[in-house]
Amino acid sequence: AQSVAQPEDQVNVAEGNPLTVKCTYSVSGNPYLFWYVQYPNRGLQFLLKYITGDNLVKGSYGFEAEFNKSQTSFHLKKPSALVSDSALYFCAVRESSGNTPLVFGKGTRLSVIA
Amino acid sequence: DSGVTQTPKHLITATGQRVTLRCSPRSGDLSVYWYQQSLDQGLQFLIQYYNGEERAKGNILERFSAQQFPDLHSELNLSSLELGDSALYFCASSVPHATVSGGLNEQFFGPGTRLTVL
């Protein structure tokens, strides 16, 4: 069975500093990996995805994520955090083969402090 | 704006009642997914429809059911409501794919319906 772990419920970072939101996954085959962001009272918005190819994936709003197969991780990063990045971030995974649904992590709340 | 619409935005009802949540996918999307988001359970996949047919079931209770109509909008029916059913219910759609994995394509989420059961 596939699963996703986001080990941190909350991440605090100062504006202008780099940020990292961690995600590890477990699938039996090759993974498709996604990051979504949820702002207050809004639905989830797609940020980026890893399907195959370069391990570093660039997405919306200056975010990027690095796929590390040996560590089964897909951490979300941004070089310089903005206060407006404060939101709830979800990592999600599905297997590349088979007919399985997208499995989401529990989410990490990012607070960027001015 | 994702292009996915959900109504109503808020719903307050009593235990034992039945409610219907409605979702209209993005134009051209054939797959519709329903999710439940609660504080203790996180985001849980409930069910997927593709072009009117059920494709996959997740953690959906027997008291819950869904359908997708010929115009591709979908409804999630929740009956015999309990206090624990209070949650945000999201609908998502993706570009046409028959499988629940949806191929390579990301899902686009609606704004959600907040259900409060008193």
Side-chain angles (χ1 to χ4, degrees), chain B residues 1-6 23-29 91-93 108-111:
Chain B
D1 184 2
S2 67
V4 178
T5 60
Q6 289 187 248
C23 167
S24 293
R26 294 187 319 157
S27 177
D29 284 359
C91 165
S93 72
F108 292 87
F109 282 75

Side-chain angles (χ1 to χ4, degrees), chain B residues 3-81:
Chain B
V4 178
T5 60
Q6 289 187 248
T7 56
K9 283 188 177 180
H10 302 278
L11 199 48
I12 301 175
T13 188
T15 55
Q17 295 298 305
R18 172 189 168 96
V19 297
T20 297
L21 313 182
R22 183 188 169 104
C23 167
S24 293
R26 294 187 319 157
S27 177
D29 284 359
L30 300 182
S31 280
V32 170
Y33 311 77
W34 285 98
Y35 293 87
Q36 179 192 57
Q37 185 181 30
S38 59
L39 284 175
D40 55 342
Q41 294 292 323
L43 197 64
Q44 300 283 320
F45 168 71
L46 296 178
I47 197 165
Q48 182 214 3
Y49 278 81
Y50 173 79
N51 202 21
E53 294 188 2
E54 181 185 305
R55 281 299 180 193
K57 269 187 174 180
N59 299 320
I60 188 166
L61 300 172
E62 286 191 9
R63 301 183 285 108
F64 296 180
S65 65
Q67 54 184 329
Q68 187 179 27
F69 296 85
D71 67 353
L72 301 178
H73 90 271
S74 178
E75 293 181 356
L76 179 67
N77 300 297
L78 315 176
S79 61
S80 303
L81 285 168

Side-chain angles (χ1 to χ4, degrees), chain A residues 16-32:
Chain A
N17 283 2
L19 70 87
T20 299
V21 182
K22 295 180 181 177
C23 170
T24 59
Y25 66 90
S26 174
V27 297
S28 56
N30 291 320
Y32 291 158

Side-chain angles (χ1 to χ4, degrees), chain A:
Chain A
Q2 53 198 19
S3 64
V4 174
Q6 293 181 243
E8 302 155 316
D9 291 337
Q10 173 93 31
V11 170
N12 299 318
V13 63
E15 187 176 29
N17 283 2
L19 70 87
T20 299
V21 182
K22 295 180 181 177
C23 170
T24 59
Y25 66 90
S26 174
V27 297
S28 56
N30 291 320
Y32 291 158
L33 293 154
F34 300 77
W35 275 102
Y36 286 82
V37 59
Q38 184 180 25
Y39 297 100
N41 301 313
R42 303 286 294 276
L44 277 70
Q45 295 178 32
F46 169 76
L47 277 179
L48 51 81
K49 65 183 177 185
Y50 170 82
I51 303 300
T52 187
D54 288 341
N55 290 339
L56 187 64
V57 178
K58 293 190 183 297
S60 306
Y61 312 121
F63 284 94
E64 57 189 28
E66 186 169 11
F67 171 64
N68 187 317
K69 188 170 183 178
S70 63
Q71 296 186 4
T72 61
S73 67
F74 190 56
H75 301 331
L76 181 70
K77 300 182 180 183
K78 187 173 182 180
S80 178
L82 300 172
V83 172
S84 58
D85 293 330
S86 299
L88 189 57
Y89 290 81
F90 290 93
C91 180
V93 67
R94 70 162 73 99
E95 290 184 15
S96 61
S97 61
N99 195 30
T100 56
L102 200 56
V103 174
F104 285 84
K106 291 220 177 258
T108 298
R109 187 163 299 282
L110 173 68
S111 291
V112 181
I113 303 158

